[in-house]
């Protein structure tokens, strides 16, 4: 019977519970009910294990699924439900409780003993063994080291993984010649050990593992899946180690990857079609190209960092020389775009703007050809944005005035690209390009206004927005000295608008600039004798500190502002206001008292306030101040002042 998945799920909770109880009690159920129950149990089990991490409930559902399999062993619907749920359960349980995973695997292996010729079940058991093996390898190394020195030595995670590999070898042995998946499963497991060695820094074991896997792959010259696992292992080794390898060894490993890719590319379709029932979760034969392309692009980043244009061209030639499988065409196009973008960066760094322009022209053609395509189109747009940004920055740093016409053209192109894509990446690049032109060119108020407006209206990332906010914060202080308070307020409002914007309200650096703007305007107002405005700025800083309780930069500005106000109010004889400012600041600054700059401001404010209180004959009000800050450990003069506060407080 074929189960219709649209109608198989049991929505009636009472019916579902009744069928579960009947099955658990050993009562006989009709075949359709068993299949519907198995389908529903499998669906719930996957949800409970993967989404809810409720292994207890998922474990009960797995037990019932095994009972369904026992009650109706010939049903494909029941088997499919069990196998899918069991693999998910084993994978999820392996992250939390390997004993549960082992127990489920043992039940599957017991079924295989009763039906050793069942190819699908053998594959499921092999897959489950690998999932368990990988989970052992992912266990904390600290736990492994601890077990080595325990009184009663336990097996290490790696030893458990080796046991699972032995199980896998034993169940795969009868199938190696008749099922192409089984050699691939063994290759997958061997690759898992190699990757574990890579991340653990065991270079010798990694190299030995690759040699063994190469020999294993040689036994199955027509098995593209084995080749793919070998390539995958080579690529992981290459990507994680090429910076540490001598150049010749890195090139040799890359050539080996290229050799295997070239040899097996032509065999994809024939082998895939010969076994359409092939099951390998999250994997397909076309991945062999993806691994190679990924290795090439990683190596290109390394060559870019070292300004090796010839090296990037060599990588481009390797890429162009491959016969790309249909499944990897998108990644192939994306990689081409990244390489052209890398060339723009390297040529621009070297001042060769002509070649940089040629590379960007090729990238532009590629991006326009792929426009509108979900993956490759988006990625190529990002690469073109990167390239335009880099070239704009190069021209601006070289001579923004001399290259003005070229800069205007490139900026307009990047703006059009950002508007068309309406993606954060392009917005960030456009804003960063404008900022670099502003920073390197002559003063251009119109361009700065254009930058500010764009940053305010688009999500341009924290970095550019922070620089824009920082520039406006500086102008608050400058305007106060040259253009008066109203001009300073204008720039202060611009900073606050950025800080309040939804894009940046959670960016700590921008919130810090908001506090800087408050402090700068507080200082301007204080110098002008406008204590009402100064008080408003202090209140604004307190509000920001309350909203950002973990932001030390905000706390520092608040402490500095409090010190200024405490001093000003004290000099004006308004000790009550000075005291109120100090105690308002204190709870926001004290959590950061380990910061010497914050500690110094807090102690100095306390010292000034204490002197004013003593002079006013209010010695008794100094003791609470000292009690609140006595745990602070400032350095320099502030340490001496803390001791003087203690003396004034009468504490011993």
């Amino acid at each position: 019977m074929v189960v219709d998945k649209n109608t198989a799920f049991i929505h009636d909770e009472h019916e579902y519970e009744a069928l579960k109880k009947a099955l658990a009690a050993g009562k006989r159920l009709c075949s359709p009910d068993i299949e519907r129950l198995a389908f529903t149990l499998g669906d719930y089990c996957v949800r409970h294990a993967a989404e809810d991490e409720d292994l207890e409930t998922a474990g009960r559902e797995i037990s019932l699924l095994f009972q369904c399999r026992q009650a109706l062993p010939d049903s494909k619907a029941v088997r499919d439900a069990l196998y899918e749920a069991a693999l998910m359960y084993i994978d999820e349980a392996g992250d939390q409780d390997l004993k549960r995973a082992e127990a489920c695997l043992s039940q599957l292996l017991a079924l295989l003993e009763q039906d050793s010729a069942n190819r699908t079940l053998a594959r499921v058991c092999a897959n489950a063994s690998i999932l368990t093996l990988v989970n052992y390898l992912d266990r904390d190394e600290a736990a492994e080291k601890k077990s080595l020195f325990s009184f009663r030595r336990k097996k290490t995670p790696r030893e458990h993984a080796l046991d699972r590999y032995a199980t896998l070898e034993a169940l795969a042995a009868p199938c190696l010649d008749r099922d192409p998946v089984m050699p691939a499963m063994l290759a997958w497991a061997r690759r898992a050990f190699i990757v574990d060695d890579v991340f653990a820094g065991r270079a010798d074991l990694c190299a030995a593992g690759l040699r063994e896997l190469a020999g294993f792959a040689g036994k199955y010259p027509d098995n593209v899946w084995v080749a793919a696992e070998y390539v995958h292992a080579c690529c992981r080794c290459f990507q994680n180690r090429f910076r540490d390898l001598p150049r010749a060894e890195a090139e040799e490993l890359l050539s080996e990857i290229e050799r295997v890719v070239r040899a097996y590319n032509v065999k994809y379709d024939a082998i895939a079609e010969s076994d359409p029932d092939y099951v390998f979760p999250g994997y397909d034969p076309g991945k062999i190209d993806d691994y190679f392309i990924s290795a090439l692009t990683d190596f290109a980043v390394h060559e870019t960092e070292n300004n090796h244009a010839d090296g990037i061209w060599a990588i481009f030639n390797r890429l162009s020389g491959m016969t790309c499988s249909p499944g990897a065409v998108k990644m192939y196009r994306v990689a081409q775009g990244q390489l052209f973008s890398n060339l723009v960066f390297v040529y621009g760094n070297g001042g060769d703007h002509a070649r940089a322009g040629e590379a960007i022209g090729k990238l532009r053609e590629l991006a326009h050809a792929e426009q509108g395509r979900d993956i490759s189109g988006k990625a190529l747009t990002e690469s073109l944005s990167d390239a335009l940004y880099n070239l704009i920055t190069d021209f601006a740093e070289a001579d923004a005035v001399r290259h003005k016409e070229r800069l205007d053209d490139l900026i307009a192109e990047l703006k059009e690209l950002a508007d068309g894509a309406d993606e954060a990446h392009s917005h960030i690049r456009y804003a960063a390009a404008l900022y670099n032109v502003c920073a390197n060119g002559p003063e251009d108020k119109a361009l700065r206004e254009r930058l500010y407006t764009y940053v305010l209206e688009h999500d341009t990332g924290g970095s550019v927005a922070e620089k824009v906010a920082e520039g406006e914060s500086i102008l608050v202080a400058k305007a106060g000295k040259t253009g008066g308070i109203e001009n300073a307020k204008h720039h202060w409002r611009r900073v606050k608008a950025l800080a309040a914007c939804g894009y940046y309200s959670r960016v700590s650096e921008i919130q810090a600039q908001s506090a800087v703007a408050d402090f700068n305007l507080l200082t301007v107002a204080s110098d002008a004798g406008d204590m009402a405005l100064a008080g408003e700025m202090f209140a604004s800083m307190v509000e920001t500190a309350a909203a950002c309780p973990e932001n030390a930069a905000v706390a520092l500005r608040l402490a500095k502002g409090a010190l200024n106000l405490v001093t000003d109010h004290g000099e004006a004889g308004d000790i009550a206001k000075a005291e109120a400012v100090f105690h308002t600041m204190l709870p926001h600054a004290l959590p950061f008292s380990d910061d010497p700059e914050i500690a110094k401001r807090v102690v100095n404010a306390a010292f000034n306030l204490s002197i004013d209180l003593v002079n006013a004959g209010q010695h008794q009000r100094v003791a609470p101040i000292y009690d609140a800050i006595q745990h602070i450990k400032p350095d320099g003069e502030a340490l001496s002042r803390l001791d003087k506060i203690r003396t004034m407080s009468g504490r011993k």
Side-chain angles (χ1 to χ4, degrees), residues 489-508:
K489 283 183 180 178
H490 166 71
H491 292 290
W492 173 82
R493 282 192 289 268
R494 287 160 72 88
V495 178
K496 302 305 277 189
L498 284 174
C501 180
Y503 305 128
Y504 314 121
S505 59
R506 296 180 183 275
V507 180
S508 61

Side-chain angles (χ1 to χ4, degrees), residues 579-596:
E579 201 171 9
V581 166
F582 178 79
H583 287 295
T584 300
M585 167 272 292
L586 205 56
H588 301 290
L590 280 182
F592 303 97
S593 57
D594 288 343
D595 184 316

Side-chain angles (χ1 to χ4, degrees), residues 370-402:
E370 296 289 310
Q371 202 168 23
R373 293 179 177 150
D374 287 344
I375 299 174
S376 55
K378 181 177 180 295
L380 286 166
T381 296
E382 290 181 359
S383 291
L384 183 55
S385 297
D386 292 341
L388 288 167
Y389 160 77
N390 285 328
L391 195 54
I392 288 168
T393 301
D394 291 331
F395 277 128
E397 291 177 348
D399 190 334
V401 175
R402 183 160 61 91

Side-chain angles (χ1 to χ4, degrees), residues 304 307-309 312-313 339-360 386-399 402-403 406 410:
T304 303
N307 289 310
H308 291 159
I312 298 172
W313 276 116
L339 293 176
F340 283 130
S341 185
N342 292 341
L343 285 169
V344 172
F345 179 84
V346 171
Y347 284 136
N349 265 0
D352 193 341
H353 297 142
R355 285 192 176 181
E358 291 173 8
I360 214 168
D386 292 341
L388 288 167
Y389 160 77
N390 285 328
L391 195 54
I392 288 168
T393 301
D394 291 331
F395 277 128
E397 291 177 348
D399 190 334
R402 183 160 61 91
H403 296 299
R406 189 79 176 98
L410 291 170

Side-chain angles (χ1 to χ4, degrees), residues 552-553 556 589 591-601 632-634:
L556 175 60
F592 303 97
S593 57
D594 288 343
D595 184 316
E597 292 300 311
I598 295 176
K600 180 170 70 174
R601 267 69 180 198
I632 296 178
K633 295 180 174 59

Side-chain angles (χ1 to χ4, degrees), residues 141-159:
E141 281 192 25
E144 181 172 340
K145 290 177 181 177
K146 185 178 179 181
S147 71
L148 293 173
F149 298 100
S150 62
F151 177 73
R152 185 178 177 181
R153 188 181 181 281
K154 299 177 181 178
K155 283 186 178 181
T156 66
R158 191 175 181 91
E159 287 171 337

Side-chain angles (χ1 to χ4, degrees), residues 358-643:
E358 291 173 8
I360 214 168
K362 293 181 184 298
L363 174 54
R364 188 183 292 118
E365 290 175 11
L366 196 59
H368 289 169
E370 296 289 310
Q371 202 168 23
R373 293 179 177 150
D374 287 344
I375 299 174
S376 55
K378 181 177 180 295
L380 286 166
T381 296
E382 290 181 359
S383 291
L384 183 55
S385 297
D386 292 341
L388 288 167
Y389 160 77
N390 285 328
L391 195 54
I392 288 168
T393 301
D394 291 331
F395 277 128
E397 291 177 348
D399 190 334
V401 175
R402 183 160 61 91
H403 296 299
K404 185 178 185 311
E405 186 176 342
R406 189 79 176 98
L407 279 169
D408 288 344
D409 290 342
L410 291 170
I411 288 172
E413 182 180 357
L414 184 51
K415 174 68 163 60
E416 183 181 350
L417 199 65
D419 288 344
D422 196 23
E423 295 279 351
H425 186 90
S426 297
H427 291 317
I428 291 169
R429 283 312 194 197
Y430 176 67
L434 287 182
Y435 177 83
N436 287 344
V437 174
C438 288
N440 290 282
E443 179 59 33
D444 187 334
K445 290 185 178 180
L447 190 62
R448 286 193 180 277
E449 186 60 32
R450 185 171 158 194
L451 169 62
Y452 176 84
T453 302
Y454 196 84
V455 168
L456 186 63
E457 293 177 352
H458 300 82
D459 181 2
T460 60
S463 180
V464 179
E466 180 197 353
K467 290 175 181 176
V468 172
E470 182 183 12
E472 293 293 331
S473 296
I474 292 170
L475 289 175
V476 172
K478 286 183 177 179
K481 295 177 181 178
T482 59
I485 287 183
E486 288 307 315
N487 198 9
K489 283 183 180 178
H490 166 71
H491 292 290
W492 173 82
R493 282 192 289 268
R494 287 160 72 88
V495 178
K496 302 305 277 189
L498 284 174
C501 180
Y503 305 128
Y504 314 121
S505 59
R506 296 180 183 275
V507 180
S508 61
E509 293 82 2
I510 295 175
Q511 297 309 310
Q513 286 304 320
S514 173
V516 170
D518 288 336
F519 173 76
N520 288 348
L521 188 51
L522 181 153
T523 304
V524 169
S526 177
D527 290 345
D530 189 343
M531 297 310 293
L533 178 59
E536 288 177 21
M537 292 303 101
F538 179 71
S540 180
M541 278 193 282
V542 171
E543 186 179 334
T544 303
C548 309
E550 298 180 358
N551 196 319
V554 171
L556 175 60
R557 266 60 190 194
L558 178 60
K560 291 173 73 174
L563 173 59
N564 287 3
L565 279 184
V566 166
T567 304
D568 289 341
H569 287 314
E571 289 175 351
D574 197 340
I575 299 175
K577 282 187 178 179
E579 201 171 9
V581 166
F582 178 79
H583 287 295
T584 300
M585 167 272 292
L586 205 56
H588 301 290
L590 280 182
F592 303 97
S593 57
D594 288 343
D595 184 316
E597 292 300 311
I598 295 176
K600 180 170 70 174
R601 267 69 180 198
V602 171
V603 171
N604 286 345
F607 180 73
N608 291 350
L609 178 58
S610 298
I611 288 177
D612 290 334
L613 288 168
V614 170
N615 290 339
Q618 300 181 45
H619 298 75
Q620 74 279 5
R621 302 184 72 83
V622 176
I625 295 173
Y626 176 72
D627 291 344
I629 66 170
Q630 62 178 319
H631 69 282
I632 296 178
K633 295 180 174 59
D635 51 22
E637 185 182 359
L639 181 60
S640 172
R641 288 187 167 188
L642 182 60
D643 190 54

